[in-house]
Amino acid sequence: METQSDVRFQIPRDVWLGLGGIVFAGAYWWKAARIPISPLDGAVNAAAIPMALAYAMVLFSTILILRAIAIEMMFVRAAKAARTGKAAARPKEAGAHYFSPREHLRAAGVIGIGIIYLLLLPRLGYVLSITALFFAMSVYMGAKVGAYTAALAVGIAVFFYFLFVQILGIPLPAGIWVSLLP
């Protein structure tokens, strides 16, 4: 039987994962900082996005560490405050969630839709492919098949097309159907 004095702070697994994430982010940043900068680069060069990803990895790893420590501290406080004969039982893994086979199949369906999108992208082009992706994903997640869902998918696709092509100047795949136009 555990007593209040037996309850001690244990370093959670997420702390180690967060520290590993910070080390990985440091190595990633170091490699990104060595990307050659072209004299033709503007305000944003080739290394900007990878370095921003490294900063984001550090930020999210730090949040993971702080969250894990806070949860562990709350458990220790709650266990010490328990006045019953038993201290609060420590879960096997704090916050662990075990997925059912149905949840695994749903995740596999999302991956399958993504793979189909990637296969259609070069043939149909960006606008049609992303419209199909948003429509299929919406229906897969429970939206009703109908004009509203289709219009929303088209609207999102057109928005992203204008964002990437017109505003940011990033060329996207046009697809083979464009060659059929006069």
Side-chain angles (χ1 to χ4, degrees):
M1 178 185 293
E2 278 188 15
T3 64
Q4 289 181 2
S5 61
D6 291 340
V7 178
R8 288 174 276 147
F9 182 86
Q10 296 177 3
I11 298 176
R13 177 190 64 174
D14 284 350
V15 169
W16 299 113
L17 290 172
L19 290 173
I22 289 172
V23 169
F24 180 76
Y28 188 78
W29 182 87
W30 184 75
K31 290 296 274 181
R34 277 142 188 70
I35 294 175
I37 297 174
S38 168
L40 302 175
D41 281 340
V44 178
N45 60 32
I49 299 295
M51 290 176 76
L53 288 174
Y55 290 131
M57 273 192 273
V58 169
L59 174 69
F60 290 125
S61 294
T62 303
I63 290 170
L64 180 68
I65 291 169
L66 294 174
R67 178 184 170 273
I69 290 172
I71 290 171
E72 183 67 15
M73 288 174 61
M74 286 188 293
F75 168 76
V76 169
R77 272 193 225 122
K80 286 182 178 180
R83 302 254 179 212
T84 61
K86 294 179 176 177
R90 181 183 305 270
K92 188 172 185 178
E93 297 230 2
H97 176 74
Y98 299 100
F99 296 99
S100 69
R102 184 176 185 273
E103 291 170 316
H104 283 293
L105 287 175
R106 285 203 48 87
V110 170
I111 292 170
I113 291 171
I115 290 170
I116 291 169
Y117 162 75
L118 291 174
L119 293 173
L120 292 177
L121 182 62
R123 290 170 184 81
L124 295 181
Y126 180 78
V127 175
L128 291 177
S129 297
I130 202 75
T131 300
L133 172 71
F134 280 117
F135 185 79
M137 198 61 72
S138 297
V139 170
Y140 188 72
M141 293 300 187
K144 292 182 180 178
V145 176
Y148 176 77
T149 305
L152 190 62
V154 169
I156 291 171
V158 169
F159 169 77
F160 280 126
Y161 173 80
F162 280 109
L163 174 68
F164 288 121
V165 175
Q166 302 299 322
I167 296 171
L168 298 175
I170 300 171
L172 297 173
I176 59 171
W177 67 274
V178 175
S179 64
L180 303 175
L181 298 175

